[in-house]
Amino acid sequence: MVQSAVLGFPRIGPNRELKKITESYWKGKASVDELLKVGKDIRVANWKLQKDAGVDIIPSNDFSYYDQVLDLSLLFNVVPERYTKYDLPLLDTMFAMGRGLQRKATETSKAVDVTALEMVKWFDSNYHYVRPTFSHSTEFKLNGQKPVDEYLEAKELGIQTRPVLLGPVSFLLLGKADKGSLDLEPLSLLEQLLPLYKEILSKLQAAGATEVQLDEPVLVLDLEKSAQDAIRKAYEYLGKQSGLPKITLATYFGTTLPNLDSLKNLPIGGLHFDFVRGPEQFDKVLDIVNKDQTLSVGIVDGRNIWKNNFAKSSELVNKAVAKLGSDRVVVATSSSLLHTPVDLENEPKLDPEIKDWFSFATQKVKEVVIITKNVAGEDVEAELEANAKSVATRAASKRTNDEAVQKRVASINEKLSTRLAPFAQRLAEQKKVFNLPIFPTTTIGSFPQTKDIRINRNKFVKGTISAEEYEKFINSEIESVIRFQEEVGLDVLVHGEPERNDMVQYFGEQIQGYTFTVNGWVQSYGSRYVRPPIIVGDLSRPEAMSVKESVYAQSITTKPVKGMLTGPVTCLRWSFPRDDVDQQTQALQLALALRDEVNDLEAAGIKVIQVDEPAIREGLPLRAGEERSAYLKWAAQAFRVATSGVQNKTQIHSHFCYSDLDPNHIKALDADVVSIEFSKKDDPHYIAEFKEYPNHIGLGLFDIHSPRVPSKEEFISKIENILKSYPADKFWVNPDCGLKTRDWEETRASLTNMVAAAKHFREQHKK
């Protein structure tokens, strides 16, 4: 009989319970026992929800207090020496690896000062994982048995689960060598690592687990033959071991076709594929599933919020059943549901017509079960009819189409996406306007979002204070941020963004074609959650969105203040996009809306305008080829459409997080100044790649995801290393990213030290 499966469920809790208790623990306001209790409550609720829905294969070990990849690093003792010397409890070691730790000595504990590990994007999603960091001295061994403990926790409730772990090849390939072991190829550690997998799987078998899910998402990447061979080696080794549970190897986020041969005839029990994002692989996948294996058909989208089309999904699953038989087919989510909000029923304010088009994690669990029942011949006629009606209503809705927007996109030409003059000429004019010192200092945009800001924003939203009262409050916050920056000595200022709830949502709320949730939270990293807006129709800007605040900020200082906008690709990637219109079209619609805003800012006297594109790298197709080339072309075009309507003397900035982009790709944007996350990079070659980049760059000097404060000497050391490979006259001094999540004490100390370091180098270059 066909079974149903979920690959993973959101771990944040329906009301962000995990965020609240974790941050309380970090602040010393909650005990470890209180933290652990909330974690257990969330796990139990998730398991019961899926069991009550009728899911046959329920995941465990999909919960994490910070990041599932970081959990695995801790489990296998992939812990760099700088964390072990402090003798921290295992949980605190994990948090130190994820976010850094800096604290003074007390009577009962020694002083700690350690930076976080590198954090990077999880494939092309907006989730971030903490990168495993290996060295020649890495000693693999088990630290505890988290997967076993959580399996047993579910078992005590009478719920049989399938434990989930990142597979050995993906764990190694997604990691990196530590800076003292740069000659180390992580994949060379496979033989040392595999016995640890055998050991933990053996413990799971002894605890009663009959099946495990090992995720190998790297199979959707361009893999060298050595990596393909490693897949075969790893699963031939594990599959031939006695006393282990059935292994289902899971891939997701794309097609595996170029790597499919590495999966043929493996001695494992099952294979899972993502047929939402890789439908073209379906027929060939059917051909490689052997007679002893099950096929898990990933057909309910784990990455977006649109309701599943039951008729189409059932048709695909039936094809698998026709070839393999019903006992060898599993209906599943395409990936973990980590990337979707928890429950649509938490959205009472959504327009009923639009709400009927959506499906969040809780609803997707039910979709998997309904499709399974339909394929099995059970009576779900009422559910099928309701689903068909929802799909048809959305397709016919007039709310999705705006003819004027479509005509404007069709009119885009090369002139519209080209600055008036090349960079060298623009730079000469800008120098006359700004007269900035060498090593100019700035920040990326946001300043701490204090409790007072959140309280007043909520009061305004609820109508308990007037628009005039709220504007007065926001202006006072802006003035405070401006005076602070003047006091610290920054050269190019920002208004601090106190009026903004989120860098995408704030603009989306003012762009026609978006809709929003109240509780549609999704984990981005650690305790950082976002509420992605949802694009439901063609996009346009009815009126100015940010001009008022920028103009006020500029009116109270003689230093230049940047107008701050979020770029078209980032607005697209950090939203739930439409699935009935291609992403290029949506990006260009957003670009035209932002072009109007950029032009209005310039007309209002704003001379520096920053259009952030931290998600450009995230959107890069996972494989090289025509699709990637086309993406890079239209992504750069969208940025230029947004920013090319200004005069030469107006300076255009942009910012990139986690953006290992080729300098040529950044060059295609033609921004005057770009700032790039850099503080946790160890590779000196990355700096050298930009030596010939013609425009100006700010390489981020401190990690804004960590509460740790770098000293002036640390800043000086970092800048010295950069200047070995990068010219001083093109270098800007700035943090990694916005300071929204930091508190004021950390912000003041870090920026004071950063500016002091910049002044140190100015003095040096006078000599």
Side-chain angles (χ1 to χ4, degrees):
M1 185 64 70
V2 177
Q3 288 189 300
S4 56
V6 172
L7 269 63
F9 197 82
R11 58 219 182 195
I12 64 177
N15 295 298
R16 295 183 292 162
E17 289 85 353
L18 185 61
K19 173 186 176 69
K20 294 168 186 174
I21 190 65
T22 302
E23 292 182 349
S24 291
Y25 176 73
W26 291 339
K27 294 175 182 176
K29 296 180 179 179
S31 69
V32 66
D33 289 340
E34 291 171 318
L35 174 66
L36 297 177
K37 181 183 183 302
V38 171
K40 181 176 181 179
D41 289 346
I42 292 171
R43 293 192 295 273
V44 169
N46 287 352
W47 291 325
K48 288 183 175 180
L49 182 152
Q50 293 171 81
K51 182 176 176 62
D52 291 345
V55 176
D56 299 308
I57 302 172
I58 298 170
S60 61
N61 198 47
D62 55 338
F63 176 85
S64 175
Y65 287 101
Y66 203 90
D67 166 52
Q68 71 273 12
V69 183
L70 178 57
D71 287 347
L72 202 60
S73 292
L74 202 65
L75 178 70
F76 291 152
N77 198 45
V78 184
V79 182
E81 186 180 354
R82 65 181 184 268
Y83 301 101
T84 60
K85 65 183 181 180
Y86 295 110
D87 301 320
L88 297 169
L90 205 59
L91 185 66
D92 291 342
T93 298
M94 183 264 290
F95 285 138
M97 292 167 68
R99 63 192 299 265
L101 183 62
Q102 188 177 50
R103 71 184 184 198
K104 297 177 181 179
T106 67
E107 292 181 1
T108 58
S109 62
K110 62 175 73 171
V112 180
D113 188 1
V114 63
T115 58
L117 291 176
E118 183 180 7
M119 186 168 64
V120 291
K121 292 284 186 176
W122 181 244
F123 293 80
D124 58 351
S125 76
N126 189 29
Y127 180 75
H128 308 67
Y129 75 97
V130 179
R131 200 169 183 187
T133 303
F134 305 97
S135 71
H136 290 297
S137 61
T138 296
E139 180 187 356
F140 292 115
K141 64 179 182 180
L142 288 185
N143 279 329
Q145 54 172 22
K146 177 181 179 293
V148 179
D149 293 340
E150 293 184 11
Y151 169 80
L152 289 172
E153 197 173 78
K155 187 178 179 181
E156 289 176 5
L157 300 169
I159 301 175
Q160 180 68 14
T161 62
R162 179 173 70 181
V164 182
L165 290 88
L166 184 64
V169 178
S170 291
F171 180 60
L172 292 172
L173 287 181
L174 294 174
K176 69 172 187 177
D178 209 349
K179 59 184 178 182
S181 302
L182 293 179
D183 61 330
L184 175 67
E185 288 290 340
L187 196 57
S188 68
L189 301 173
L190 182 63
E191 286 191 11
Q192 299 175 47
L193 178 61
L194 286 175
L196 267 291
Y197 273 87
K198 176 186 174 182
E199 184 177 353
I200 195 66
L201 296 188
S202 178
K203 287 178 179 290
L204 284 165
Q205 169 86 354
T210 57
E211 182 180 357
V212 294
Q213 173 187 320
L214 296 184
D215 290 353
E216 292 287 4
V218 295
L219 281 161
V220 303
L221 304 177
D222 291 317
L223 295 183
E224 296 179 358
K225 187 176 183 302
S226 60
Q228 294 173 339
D229 291 345
I231 289 285
R232 293 203 65 83
K233 180 177 182 178
Y235 289 92
E236 285 177 353
Y237 169 85
L238 292 172
K240 292 177 180 178
Q241 302 297 319
S242 60
L244 301 186
K246 169 187 171 180
I247 294 173
T248 292
L249 184 157
T251 75
Y252 39 78
F253 297 165
T255 179
T256 62
L257 285 177
N259 301 313
L260 200 55
D261 284 349
S262 63
L263 300 180
K264 286 182 179 178
N265 299 315
L266 289 177
I268 58 175
L271 297 168
H272 169 89
F273 295 88
D274 181 346
F275 296 118
V276 174
R277 302 190 78 202
E280 66 274 19
Q281 64 187 326
F282 183 76
D283 291 336
K284 291 190 176 180
V285 162
L286 287 183
D287 291 338
I288 65 113
V289 178
N290 67 43
K291 62 183 178 62
D292 299 317
Q293 292 176 332
T294 57
L295 172 64
S296 176
V297 180
I299 198 61
V300 172
D301 194 350
R303 290 279 299 272
N304 213 329
I305 48 71
W306 300 105
K307 187 171 285 188
N308 188 274
N309 186 320
F310 290 166
K312 286 186 177 180
S313 295
S314 297
E315 181 181 358
L316 188 76
V317 177
N318 277 323
K319 288 181 180 179
V321 170
K323 181 156 187 176
L324 302 177
S326 60
D327 290 340
R328 295 175 55 207
V329 174
V330 177
V331 178
T333 56
S334 62
S335 64
S336 170
L337 297 175
L338 170 71
H339 311 284
T340 60
V342 176
D343 192 351
L344 187 59
E345 293 307 309
N346 288 340
E347 301 301 331
K349 295 184 179 180
L350 273 176
D351 182 301
E353 179 190 1
I354 294 175
K355 185 176 181 178
D356 187 53
W357 303 343
F358 300 156
S359 177
F360 292 179
T362 300
Q363 288 68 45
K364 289 177 184 291
V365 167
K366 296 174 183 177
E367 288 181 335
V368 169
V369 173
I370 292 169
I371 296 167
T372 304
K373 288 181 176 180
N374 185 42
V375 171
E378 297 184 36
D379 182 12
V380 288
E381 193 61 33
E383 290 88 342
L384 294 177
E385 288 181 6
N387 178 260
K389 182 180 178 181
S390 297
V391 172
T393 299
R394 180 188 170 208
S397 175
K398 294 181 180 179
R399 303 176 72 157
T400 62
N401 297 298
D402 186 324
E403 187 176 346
V405 173
Q406 294 168 9
K407 285 182 177 179
R408 195 176 179 199
V409 170
S411 72
I412 293 174
N413 54 30
E414 188 65 25
K415 182 178 179 181
L416 201 72
S417 58
T418 305
R419 294 287 297 271
L420 294 174
F423 172 70
Q425 183 177 334
R426 301 197 307 262
L427 179 63
E429 294 189 37
Q430 291 164 15
K431 283 183 175 180
K432 294 177 183 177
V433 173
F434 300 114
N435 193 31
L436 295 171
I438 193 170
F439 300 106
T441 57
T442 189
T443 63
I444 304 306
S446 61
F447 269 76
Q449 289 261 323
T450 63
K451 184 177 181 180
D452 197 29
I453 290 174
R454 293 192 295 271
I455 288 172
N456 277 274
R457 183 185 298 135
N458 287 335
K459 285 181 178 179
F460 176 60
V461 170
K462 293 176 180 178
T464 58
I465 60 174
S466 68
E468 292 77 13
E469 289 173 313
Y470 185 59
E471 182 176 345
K472 182 178 180 181
F473 169 77
I474 290 299
N475 284 347
S476 70
E477 290 292 321
I478 291 172
E479 181 168 8
S480 177
V481 168
I482 292 293
R483 298 296 170 245
F484 167 77
Q485 293 172 91
E486 290 175 331
E487 176 190 339
V488 170
L490 291 166
D491 300 301
V492 176
L493 314 186
V494 297
H495 79 281
E497 306 177 14
E499 78 285 5
R500 303 185 187 182
N501 44 19
D502 175 82
M503 66 183 292
V504 175
Q505 183 181 348
Y506 176 77
F507 293 104
E509 287 173 345
Q510 302 178 77
I511 293 177
Q512 189 170 324
Y514 268 106
T515 195
F516 304 89
T517 64
V518 175
N519 294 300
W521 298 98
V522 177
Q523 186 179 26
S524 179
Y525 64 85
S527 68
R528 168 70 170 152
Y529 304 165
V530 295
R531 274 184 302 165
I534 303 170
I535 302 176
V536 296
D538 290 332
L539 300 155
S540 60
R541 185 202 74 148
E543 59 187 13
M545 301 180 286
S546 66
V547 174
K548 180 174 63 176
E549 292 80 13
S550 296
V551 167
Y552 175 73
Q554 187 62 81
S555 73
I556 58 175
T557 182
T558 58
K559 291 189 173 184
V561 178
K562 292 190 282 190
M564 300 298 305
L565 304 175
T566 304
V569 176
T570 298
C571 282
L572 172 66
R573 294 294 310 182
W574 289 0
S575 303
F576 288 118
R578 295 170 68 176
D579 61 355
D580 60 338
V581 175
D582 65 74
Q583 295 204 6
Q584 177 181 357
T585 299
Q586 294 175 77
L588 291 174
Q589 290 178 358
L590 286 161
L592 289 168
L594 290 164
R595 181 186 182 90
D596 295 341
E597 187 73 9
V598 169
N599 292 349
D600 282 353
L601 283 167
E602 182 187 54
I606 304 303
K607 299 173 183 177
V608 185
I609 302 170
Q610 182 168 310
V611 181
D612 289 344
E613 282 291 22
I616 275 193
R617 174 63 180 85
E618 168 191 318
L620 196 69
L622 296 173
R623 283 204 166 91
E626 292 182 6
E627 185 184 3
R628 181 178 289 183
S629 297
Y631 166 80
L632 288 166
K633 184 176 180 179
W634 64 252
Q637 180 193 27
F639 181 87
R640 295 197 310 272
V641 166
T643 58
S644 292
V646 298
Q647 299 299 310
N648 292 335
K649 63 184 179 180
T650 297
Q651 192 171 79
I652 296 294
H653 288 227
S654 191
H655 171 67
F656 311 104
C657 305
Y658 319 107
S659 293
D660 295 329
L661 281 172
D662 185 288
N664 288 324
H665 300 152
I666 296 178
K667 183 179 179 182
L669 304 181
D670 198 23
D672 299 307
V673 181
V674 296
S675 56
I676 304 174
E677 177 270 330
F678 183 74
S679 70
K680 290 186 279 190
K681 292 188 180 297
D682 300 319
D683 187 358
H685 300 296
Y686 184 76
I687 311 170
E689 288 179 5
F690 286 93
K691 189 172 183 179
E692 303 305 320
Y693 177 73
N695 303 19
H696 288 194
I697 288 182
L699 296 174
L701 296 175
F702 70 93
D703 178 15
I704 60 85
H705 302 104
S706 172
R708 183 178 174 276
V709 175
S711 65
K712 172 186 172 182
E713 291 71 27
E714 187 174 328
F715 279 115
I716 289 172
S717 176
K718 287 184 177 181
I719 295 172
E720 282 177 341
N721 285 332
I722 291 169
L723 295 182
K724 291 175 183 176
S725 307
Y726 194 75
D729 62 344
K730 296 198 295 183
F731 181 63
W732 283 60
V733 176
N734 50 257
D736 262 353
C737 199
L739 298 161
K740 176 180 178 179
T741 61
R742 302 275 49 91
D743 67 30
W744 270 107
E745 183 179 354
E746 299 160 5
T747 298
R748 176 179 293 276
S750 294
L751 290 179
T752 298
N753 293 343
M754 186 189 81
V755 171
K759 291 179 178 178
H760 168 84
F761 284 98
R762 286 174 195 164
E763 289 299 317
Q764 277 200 348
H765 279 72
K766 284 181 182 178
K767 300 174 183 178

